[in-house]
Amino acid sequence: QEDETTITAVMHSGLRVLDPVITTAHITRNHGYMVYDVLTAVNEDFEPQPQMADWEVSDDGLTYTFTLRDGLMFHDGAPVTAADAVASLNRWGNRDSGGQLIFDVTESLEAQDEKTLVWTLTEPFPPLMDVISKQSAVPPFIMPARVAETSPDETITEYVGSGPFIFNEEEYEPGVSVTYEKFDDYVPREEDPSWMAGGKVVNVDRVVWTTMPDNLTAMNALAAGEIDYLEQVQIDLMPILENAPGVTVEMRDPLGYVTIGRPNFLHPPFDNKQIRQAALAALGQEQMLATMQGDPEYYNVCGAIFGCATPLGDESGSEIVTGGPDPERSKELLEEAGYDGTPVVLMAPTDVVSLVNQPVVAAQALREGGFEVEMQSMDWQSVVQRRAQQAPIGEGGWNMFFTNWMVPEISDPLINVMVNGRGDDAWFGWPDDPEIEEMRAAFVAAESAEAQKEVAVEIQEHVMDNVNYIMMGEYLIPQARRDAIQNMIQSPVPVFWNMTKDAE
Amino acid sequence: MKFKTRDLSTAQRVLKIRKLKVGLTGRPDAQPVLNEIDLDIRAGETHCLVGESGSGKSVTSLATMGLLPKDALEVQGGLIDLEGFEITNATAAQMRDLRAQRVAMIFQEPMTALNPVLRVGEQIEEVLNMHTDLSKSEAKARTIDIMEQVHLPDVQRVYSAFPHQLSGGQRQRIMIAMALVLDPDLLIADEPTTALDVTTQLQILKLIEEMQERHGTAVLFITHDMGVVAEIADTVSVMQKGEIVESAPIRELLTNPQKDYTRKLLKAVPNLAPRPARAVSEKDAVLNVDRLEMTYGGGGWFRKSEGVRAARDVTFDIAPGRTLGIVGESGSGKSTVARCIMRLIDPTGGEVTVAATEISRLSRRNLQSHRKHLQIVFQDPYRSLNPRWTVARSLCEGPINFGTPKSEAMERAAELMELVDLPKDALDRYPHQFSGGQRQRIAIARAVAMKPDLLVADEAVSALDVSVQAQVLDLLDDVQDRFGIAMLFITHDLRVAAQICDDVLVMQKGQVVEQGPAAAVLANPRHDYTRSLIEAAPGRHWDFANFRALERAPAVEGPIA
Amino acid sequence: MTEMPSSRRSAFQVLTGVFSLPAGARLGAGPTIAALVLALIVLASICAPLYVPYDPLAMDAMSRLRPPSDEFLLGTDPYGRDIFSRVMTGGRVSLLIGIGAAIVSVAVGLVIGLLAGFFRAADGIIMRIMDSLMAIPAILLAIALVALNGPSLSSVIIAITIPEVPRVVRLVRSVVLSAREEPYVEAAIALGSSMPKILIQHLMPNTLAPLIVQGTYICASAILIEAILSFLGAGVSTEIPTWGNIMAEGRSYFQIKPGLIFWPGLLLSLCILCINLLGDTARDLLDPRMKKREG
Amino acid sequence: MFGYILKRLLATIPVLLIVAVFVFLLLRLTPGDPAAILAGDAATPAQLERIRDRLGLNDPLLVQFVTWFGQMLKGDLGTSLISNTDVVDMVSDRLGPTINIALMTIVISVLLAVPMGVIAAWRHRTWIDFAVMSFSVLGFSVPVFVIGYILIQIFAIELRWVPVQGYASPSDGIGAFFSRAILPSLTLATIYVALIARMTRASMLEVLGEDYIRTARAKGVRENVVLFRHALRNAAVPILTIIGTGFALLISGVVVTESVFNIPGIGRLTVDAILARDYPVIQAMILLTAGIYVLVNLIVDVSYSFFDPRIRY
Ligand SMILES: Nc1ncnc2c1ncn2[C@@H]1O[C@H](COP(=O)(O)OP(=O)(O)OP(=O)(O)O)[C@@H](O)[C@H]1O
Ligand SMILES: Nc1ncnc2c1ncn2[C@@H]1O[C@H](COP(=O)(O)OP(=O)(O)OP(=O)(O)O)[C@@H](O)[C@H]1O
Ligand SMILES: [Mg+2]
Ligand SMILES: [Mg+2]
Ligand code: NI
């Protein structure tokens, strides 16, 4: 017992949902990577790599054959079979938007034997490996078939995976803390770890995740050595840690996050393209990011809707928002559009720290740009409910809200829900944008990386012109750890394999 | 009447007060509360301190105990010598030692003077624990012993009772036991019997006397009841406005008072001989009460409780211009009858007819218009006027309710002020700016403003001291003569009843035990209860106002029960 | 909880004395100074727009978290807004919430309490409902209500008011219950005064003194509850500065920029102190019986 | 006595019933959608609809109420919509920390506040009185979280006497428990101390003017005995009352304190549940806190008769 190493980590939010397929919540995804394994995963170059399985693609691009590697075992001791993988993929396909696209063109998905799984398509789907290897939104985690048979609209109730850590159900307190124990029978891959790919070698016995609702308390706890790791450090509070001995603050995730504004296409004034453009002009990334982060080291002015450091990233046509704010231009555009002073109802959440600043800054900038703004404060739950309302403003509707994404979650047109232009079926804001739908179809059809990139640039330009959403820039969140914690992997998802803990 | 005539001049002097001056703390220039008083008490002596309310009696006693409220009053001169010990400059610790051992005190209100949350036995024992080294069992034995000495019944049970489980008389016995358990040389009793009814009062007085004889204690007895004084005092001091105006042996003081103030005080004491009854009225009775019943409580959620039958089968009537007195000991149901008649509570049975209307079952709304026929004056002068209202507003409230225009009501109020002998400018003042007697006048004026047919006075003068009491009684008499009002006068003081009532009704435990013309009832009580009431009245053989014994003593002669 | 035992009733009466300062502090210059300070703060808050150097909402990403200087008297907050301008302007809304909540809860509670105290028939039902409202933790009710109505000024006031009302009702009721036994009320009945008249003219004034004390307490606690609501993200809209949400926004900057909490906190404490002091003084002035005691 | 307690317990039924109906309606009228919280940011409307169906959120309100109420009568408070765990389990896990901290707070408050109030009353109108009462006003006028931060800064960061945050149950060792519970308890206690001290003072002032105090002094009883044996017990009823009603205040404070000190208690659970619209949890929590409140006040009422023999039920 004495020698047991435990890592106490303070995560960005409390774990409440244990089903990584039903929800897109980041903390649940992180939990997924602890407990479950995936067939394939992208490395830091966005290239799919084998994890549980190797794969082969037929020449016509219609048949994918996956072969499970040896030694895979669930925490209850049962071996992982192809049937488990099939059931898991089916459930996932029902929930994930990318997965749905694949299943739209799937002829069959079958377990050929214990170890082999064959996926047959009706037409080629070049980005298939990218989709099932993606590390965010909903990755296809592999669960025992009996668990995966749960309806995709219901949460699972058994938490057995084949990942490197075992979930300790006894010590789980929803929203407060969760404990993982090293899975001794896990067989890591030989390769070096890279993002979610490569060998997941666990060097500690237990990992405890807790949440601290109060940032300052978390900082002080780390400085006092009561915890080992802090997933997100509030930049303004870094001076507290800088003076604390034995603490290192560093970047975990080179890609970071984007913050975006989404206009509602159904109602005035943002049903008018020119007025949307005026809003784009009125807002300025620098101002927004500086307010959110303070230190320029931790933000990136970036006009690329798929992220600046991603393969598809491109900044065409974004000067208007990267350069801004330009209130004069905004007023001109409003004038041209004949803006009649209809107030912009801006939903402002008060209880989610990372979303508090944006509406406040935006409201002020829009006002300066000639808009009438009505900022309505509410808790995030109310935003969540209200943003789903298509009703006119007077009847519970809205004009604009802000949210954040991790860069990998917006990094291509299939994953990025905001470039969906299918009207009522689109994401909140409901743009009916046939042009962008054509482009997305072209993206799916594109066979080479170059061809994909071409389409992506087209989409970028279109989004800047039509203002499907307002890219407000990228920002980075540093992490902090005790110096005793070493060998942490750089990754957008905080992972607890590979790391070691020295005696302090 | 037999007075005490012991010669105590050879006895040891226990308390010697010389030129004692007590004033408001930090304000030596203000009018002192006690102005250079002298006082001597010898062992075995009972010294009575009398005087009007506010004259400084209690302050004298508190100063002697060293219990003056520090932030309000302080000794500003003189000395208090307790058997050679100088109290005025004793330390707190010395004072604590002195108390209970050398000087002890009994207070007026047995209800509030005992700690309600401690068992009475413990409270007595505490004295022993504080001042002696007795062991627990010794202390308890000593406590039981003193409790027996004060004639408490069922001592073992009473020992572990809480004060609220005892009657007023029993509580006062506990107080006496507590005061005497360490055999102090001086016992100060500040109005120890004022809150008790006559029969109990008599027992307590006898007890004090008995204890005094047994222990040879000196007693400083404070009271404003001259009857009590006549009964128990060896010597008397009369106080007025912080000064002792006269000090003399009891007989001398009562037969031959030297100072005007003393004479005035004595003259105000009503005597027990009934007044001559007023002419029997020819008119119909204003108030008819017929088989009135009142039962409090009863009902309840889980078990039906019995309820208190506070009035049973009460029947009487009053003619205009006449006064009916209801007497009886505390709790006998006097107030209950008054409140039923006023319909402040709803009687549970019987009929009340006022000015030819049966009102006991009228609805509240229908009752409203009959209210003006009957008015009431309460006992407590401090609470019967709304403290936030000017006198004028209080006086006008009733008439305005019955449609009198405001200006007219104001005029009438001004007239009434004259009637009750208060200055006109009093109208704009608030109740707290008046003395108790003055307030009671205002309350009477308020009732009279309604020109009622019947005035109910529930202990209207009981809270006032003798001289003020006499004035208010005069006023009531005057009002009655002038307006021909019928009056229902409730009192527990037989002297007062004798002075003002034409007829008397004696109540006991909710029932009328005797009823008739005052002269007949008070002079020839037929019922035992009435007789015991009268016999218990202290000083009943003395005619204070005329400085002599009563010629025709009321009731049968005989030993006091 | 139907019938309060009599000693419980007296507990409620003592309660009204709870928020009083020592009499020593009441005497002399205390109330005058308190009145002056409070008047100054109120005036400064009301007139804030006339003299504050910056728009309290104007932000400048380039001058975040500045220390106090000539340019920014008390420095700037994380949005680069001028703290001085915000704190001074914030007083308006905070005071409005405090006074609003106090007036509304006292008014509503007074009416209900008078009715409950006088009409025995309604008493049971009213008190049951009040007990229920009192049993729901105020802060939770407030969060729920704010979530329901959105964090507007009025919903914050309502949210703070609802849990306070039962307390006022109990207070008023207990005063009425004991006052109606007073002989002067019985005398008024004998004088033929109607029930409403007795209720309003005789009984209501009795409740005034304790209500003023209770009111000042509500006023103070409303300002604080608003701060707590802001802390939990359910306060007044972030666009409207209040002492509460300035402190709540500044809470994580406690170690870096204590001014964000200190200045609004200082004004808040000062206000509450003065309000309490004045409440006590007002009560004493209103109660003629107190005058008697003081001679 | 027993009859009284029974009667009081019966009387809580309508109270809790009203609370239940009130809370249920309030919640359903509040905007928010647990399904959306469950599914996360990228869910489509159709997916949300299906989840809502599964959770029974699309049933008519009356049906939902009757279902919930029926289950509640059977002692089943349902499962959390978000974490899918049994509400009874969830709440019972979180109850311990809050209750322990609350109890410690009450003990600390009473130990501090009562002597403070007694001394202030005894030294009425002196500087001691003034100091005690000024402290009380201060306790009232500083937001709880500020007090928490200040205590952390001094005792955990500067002096390093105790940990910054966290909770250990007494079963983990009394030392561990105290070192973590002391700061939150002190934080919570500031308001409570203020409240109780003022009440004690007011009540003592009234009692010290009573005749029996004069009697005690006339017996030559020592001053401390007068204060604590004679006066305090008589002053107890209003003090107990305020401890009972102040409990509501404590609950508000708990919510904030648990955040600041990272204590896994029911305060945070409730706030989290409200923000996530986790209806079964909110309903259970509010019923629970209401129940506790009612119970505490019942205990307080019953304890009156322990301090004051005149009160008999
Ligand atoms: N605590 C006090 N502060 C100021 N003045 C007081 C105080 N106690 C008594 N006095 C004043 O001292 C005077 C004498 O009061 P005291 O109580 O001795 O009268 P008393 O003769 O006992 O009257 P009563 O018959 O009504 O008991 C009164 O004028 C009273 O106003
Ligand atoms: N409201 C009430 N509820 C229940 N019992 C009552 C009530 N008022 C009086 N009683 C009881 O009724 C009986 C008669 O009381 P009442 O007040 O009429 O006596 P009283 O003769 O006026 O006594 P006192 O001389 O003390 O004023 C007493 O036993 C008393 O305890
Ligand atoms: Mg006296
Ligand atoms: Mg009576
Ligand atoms: Ni009740």
Side-chain angles (χ1 to χ4, degrees), chain C residues 34-114:
Chain C
L36 275 178
V37 172
L38 192 65
L40 203 72
I41 296 177
V42 171
L43 204 73
S45 301
I46 293 173
C47 302
L50 300 180
Y51 66 85
V52 295
Y54 300 92
D55 174 355
L57 297 182
M59 48 188 88
D60 176 5
M62 298 309 123
S63 45
R64 300 172 75 245
L65 297 172
R66 291 280 180 81
S69 65
D70 288 348
E71 194 185 355
F72 302 106
L73 206 54
L74 304 177
T76 60
D77 75 356
Y79 290 91
R81 298 175 296 201
D82 180 40
I83 295 179
F84 176 71
S85 306
R86 284 179 70 73
V87 170
M88 295 323 293
T89 326
R92 314 170 85 192
V93 180
S94 281
L95 289 170
L96 194 68
I97 288 174
I99 294 166
I103 290 177
V104 176
S105 31
V106 165
V108 175
L110 178 64
V111 173
I112 301 177
L114 284 177

Side-chain angles (χ1 to χ4, degrees), chain A residues 220 236 294 350 357 367 375 377, chain C residues 64 79 151 233 239 253 255:
Chain A
N220 287 326
D236 284 329
T350 49
N357 294 317
R367 279 190 197 115
M375 193 175 97
S377 300
Chain C
R64 300 172 75 245
Y79 290 91
E239 287 231 297
Y253 296 89
Q255 286 170 17

Side-chain angles (χ1 to χ4, degrees), chain B residues 287-298:
Chain B
L287 171 72
N288 282 302
V289 175
D290 191 21
R291 295 190 314 278
L292 185 72
E293 296 267 346
M294 180 66 211
T295 307
Y296 287 107

